[in-house]
Amino acid sequence: VELCVMACEKHATNNESAAKMIKETMDKKFGSSWHVVIGEGFGFEITHEVKNLLYMFFGGSLAVCVWKCS
């Protein structure tokens, strides 16, 4: 959660850069196969590993979805 907040604050005007920062950090720290989506007004249906999914809102309407899939 802290990583997502830091990335969204650092790259407030560029969601793609924030997502890339989160993905690279998660891949480095917890192994590969992490995926990140940041944006507004999206839906999703994904397959993920147990206990490896984070879905949160940042600053009101900006959603962050992070999951690991092998």
Side-chain angles (χ1 to χ4, degrees):
V1 173
E2 292 175 18
L3 172 62
C4 294
V5 170
M6 183 178 65
C8 289
E9 287 175 346
K10 184 176 180 180
H11 301 286
T13 59
N14 191 340
N15 293 342
E16 186 176 344
S17 293
K20 185 176 180 180
M21 178 182 171
I22 295 167
K23 181 195 173 13
E24 289 174 352
T25 304
M26 295 296 285
D27 282 347
K28 191 179 291 183
K29 189 170 184 177
F30 300 108
S32 62
S33 298
W34 287 92
H35 307 275
V36 181
V37 175
I38 300 177
E40 295 181 21
F42 67 89
F44 62 93
E45 182 176 334
I46 58 174
T47 303
H48 62 89
E49 293 182 11
V50 176
K51 296 184 180 180
N52 287 292
L53 170 71
L54 169 69
Y55 181 61
M56 63 179 268
F57 286 94
F58 177 78
S61 61
L62 187 67
V64 179
C65 184
V66 181
W67 74 96
K68 184 173 185 175
C69 178
S70 54

